[in-house]
Amino acid sequence: MATTKTPPKTFAVIGTTPPRVDAGAKVTGAAVYGIDVMLPRMAYGRILRSPHAHARIVRIDTSRAEALPGVVAVATAADLPEAVDRTDRVGEGTVNYRYTRDATFAGDKVLYHGHPICAVAAVTPEAAEDALALIDVEYEPLEPVLDVRGAMEPDAPILHPDLRTRSLAGPGSTPTNVAAHMRFEIGDPDQGMAEADVVVEREFQTATVHQGYMEPHAATAAWSPEGILTIYTTTQGAFDVRTRVHELLHHPLADIRVVPTEVGGAFGGKNTGYTDVAAALLARKAERPVRVVMSREETLMATGPTSGTWMRVTVGARRDGRITAAKAELRYEAGAYPGAPVFSGANCMFASYDIPNGRIDCYDVVVNKPRTGDYRSPGATQSAFAAETVLDEVATCLGMDPIAFRLINCACDGTSRITGGAHEHIGIRQVLEATRDCAHYRAPRPKSDGYLRRGRGVALGFWGNWGARSSVTLSVAEDGTVSLLTGSVDITGTRTSLAMQAAEALGLPLEMLAPAMGDTQTTGHSDSSGGSRTTMATGIAVCRAAEDLLARMEERAAAWWGVDSATVEYARGVFTSSTTGDAMSWAEVAGHQSETGGAIRGHGDVNVRKWGAAYATHIVDVEVDVETGGVRLLRHTVVQDVGRAIHPGQVASQMQGGATQGIGWALYEGYAYDAQGRMLNPNLLDYKMPTYLDVPAIETILVEVPYPGHPYGVRGVGEAPIVAVPAAIAAAIHDAVGVRTTRLPMGATQILQLLGVIDP
Amino acid sequence: MSRVVVPPLMRDLTGGLGVVDADGRTVDEVIAYLERCFPGFAARLCPDGDLAAGWAVIVDGNASPAGLRTRVGLNSEVRFSPTVAGG
Amino acid sequence: MPDRTRVRAIINHEPVDFLCEPRQSLLDCLRDVLGLTGTKCGCNDGNCGACSVLLDGRLVNSCLVLGVEIEGRSVVTVEGLAQWPGARIIQESFVEQDALQCGFCTPGMLIASKALLDRSPRPSEDAIRAWMSGNLCRCTGYERLVRAVQAAADHLATIEGAE
């Protein structure tokens, strides 16, 4: 059940819950996802992958595969132009194209189990599978390094001989797996610790986890004889795909048309592509369209999971509850190439609090695992698990209620952060108060019963969100209906929430809006739909486009009447002339467009540079079976500052979905590797994601603290609800059985070890 | 003069100072000024001439797309921060 | 090219006649041979339910059935649901309860729901969760899906009562 606490404001469309516009196609099986694309003469591509986690490639022989009847193309690293050793801003992160090329097809070394070697295309998927088995590769296995602390040892196997630590202390001079070291500091942390009455220090480890989207990666590429490349792909950012293909194939940007399909789940994992370039290469060589679809095994083994980590957190506080200092060391696994979300983890972990003295050291470390991708609040869930668990322990030591402790220390507008900068327009206090006052938190704690021990925990998470570039065009047809074309891919229902904002801005009923996703040929540059940006930043583009469109429509009404457009007024579907008193409906003005000058369109192209951050708390009641170590969730409430909920149902769904992924991360999910670095569980039986039986009905409380930088007060909502879940469950486990779980996932073995039932 | 927050790992160059004042109309000029005061400052921040990949300059609380060319005013606060990804 | 076997069956109430390799799953045949892409491949080893179909009225993972096994038998996929008024009520219920986000698991969920309601017209929440636990969803957290099935059951019972 979703409850919303809002300051009063009257909207016609915003705040309602219409059916999502894409629902019809999705409940009839008609929606076309990346894996469903079919083109005439299409061939099927497959990628050959390394069975070793770390090895030199001695020899590749594709001749037997090329000779197999039905095979139409083979593509190898030789088909890729040399990459420029350059790092670019792509989306929110940075991309080094030398690494991107190496990740597409390995160079002289493979760096993880599943690293692509080459690709084949054949007239049937079965023939492509047969062809893979006919490719001969000779490897010289090397010793892999699989955990972040091992990778930082002086004698660790080195992945990239030319990698030196990037640090503001000066670049490193010796080969290393530490790609970067960053330090952030505020005040005097050592002095602050000395002033504390209570100091808690703990070390934590979290396993690699995957976004778990149900639709694997897929791309279908087709070349025209003139060299126009079209790629249909499941992605969060069509323009990012275009940029990547451009950089790797050295093909002009405007000659690459990327068409985003429906997306079967993404959560950040489809900010990066793993099939587009291979499909393009195969299609060019085969001279026919080629579709490359990854299997579930490939998706788990060889896309972009999030970092496994090692962390140490120390927090000191006075007896009155005030935190005096906080220190953290974060070591995040980047996988095969640099770029772990460790700064993001540092940025979020203490962002909820006013901490006068703090130091955070972050390390971005390469290991022989797939290169990490973005996963819903990248980096934040790991560091929040550590920080919030230590804070819970501090509160317990002080005998304080965990919400009261957080209220004493919570940040407000203007609070400086350890990672720099100050908060603006945050809703944290309102979220904490709503948590303290909600029915779940006020309900009596669950009672234990024999070997079933029950407890309650709470934790607070922060996510910064994102702005960036969006493009929207509103176009009025002769009957007055309005098409809304956006470059923002719809991964969560934003076609609906954007149409709702357009309807509100234009004073029209929602039914008159027809939203659609464009492609890189038909829309202006739009950054990836990620970072919880779309309803917010593309919403701003919608409002700009609506203003532009209204101005154009007023001009057309004025032209029809022969008056000055400054004398035309508009309200709720009707244009009036203040000089003559004439009136015309929206549809009438639209109907006269041919006579008044042609097409009527409004444009909004934005680069949003400021946006509101998000806070979410989780209250969790758990039951721990002290005989089996099993943990069951009894009740779960999410409280989140959502700014303004355009579609409260969709917002509540994001909160439930994020919370559910957090539950999986907390209790069940984790990559397992053997000593040679081969992934042991690349399947959905052994990589356990929550089912209907694992998740209670998650209650949602939407707190609205409107963000002033958006016309309707929108804040990003999609990512924040995952962040504090593992910490909340850990706090509940502690409340139930008195032990502190410090490793994710918190499985039965760890709990029984902590309880002393089995040996460590 | 603008106020520049010195990243912790560069305070060995500034004798431990966490905030320093600098002359200059753009971030570029500010860094060049600080290089004269604290030799090695520019190379640490901009190892390849431009601001290191993944880093942004924040002037008066705003991350600037103009990077080193960003203009700074009297009493501007200048700091450097890594950029963040989302999912 | 490998030998193919001829298969004749009924799919969504229509007779079909196609060729497939013995190693192709029913899922492969539906999607790649017959162009019925509504049924999805999420894992290909029976662990996610995205490929759920009804085989002679029984809920199965089509990735675990061979194409040649459906000779002479009847299959219903999401594309065939619209033929039953009851199934249409389930679809509408999913839309009204906002029981989908990305929609990728939705075809499988609809098929599984129909199979449940065919057997058990007024299932409890526990029964719904247990029956549907073979269908994974990564987006919703399951609660709205449960509500959608309950709402469909209630609606269908009203119609039954009226008859």
Side-chain angles (χ1 to χ4, degrees), chain C residues 7-86:
Chain C
V7 177
R8 278 158 293 192
I10 308 284
I11 297 186
N12 296 331
H13 269 356
E14 301 283 333
V16 296
D17 187 339
F18 62 94
L19 294 173
C20 71
E21 293 183 34
R23 61 174 161 168
Q24 282 181 285
S25 67
L26 172 58
L27 178 63
D28 293 336
C29 294
L30 289 170
R31 291 180 53 80
D32 299 333
V33 178
L34 297 168
L36 290 166
T37 56
T39 307
K40 305 304 181 194
C41 180
C43 70
N44 215 35
D45 55 16
N47 285 305
C48 78
C51 67
S52 299
V53 299
L54 300 177
L55 177 59
D56 292 336
R58 207 173 135 225
L59 178 65
V60 299
N61 286 322
S62 59
C63 69
L64 296 181
V65 177
L66 293 175
V68 296
E69 286 185 79
I70 71 164
E71 173 67 35
R73 298 169 78 177
S74 157
V75 174
V76 173
T77 72
V78 63
E79 290 95 338
L81 283 181
Q83 292 160 23
W84 283 277

Side-chain angles (χ1 to χ4, degrees), chain A residues 178-221:
Chain A
V178 181
H181 169 218
M182 291 165 277
R183 171 175 291 172
F184 306 94
E185 198 167 292
I186 196 174
D188 185 339
D190 298 317
Q191 176 63 25
M193 287 295 176
E195 289 168 9
D197 297 314
V198 163
V199 176
V200 173
E201 178 170 291
R202 291 253 179 205
E203 291 180 7
F204 300 83
Q205 281 175 262
T206 69
T208 304
V209 293
H210 195 269
Q211 303 84 353
Y213 35 82
M214 294 312 301
E215 180 206 21
H217 286 264
T220 306

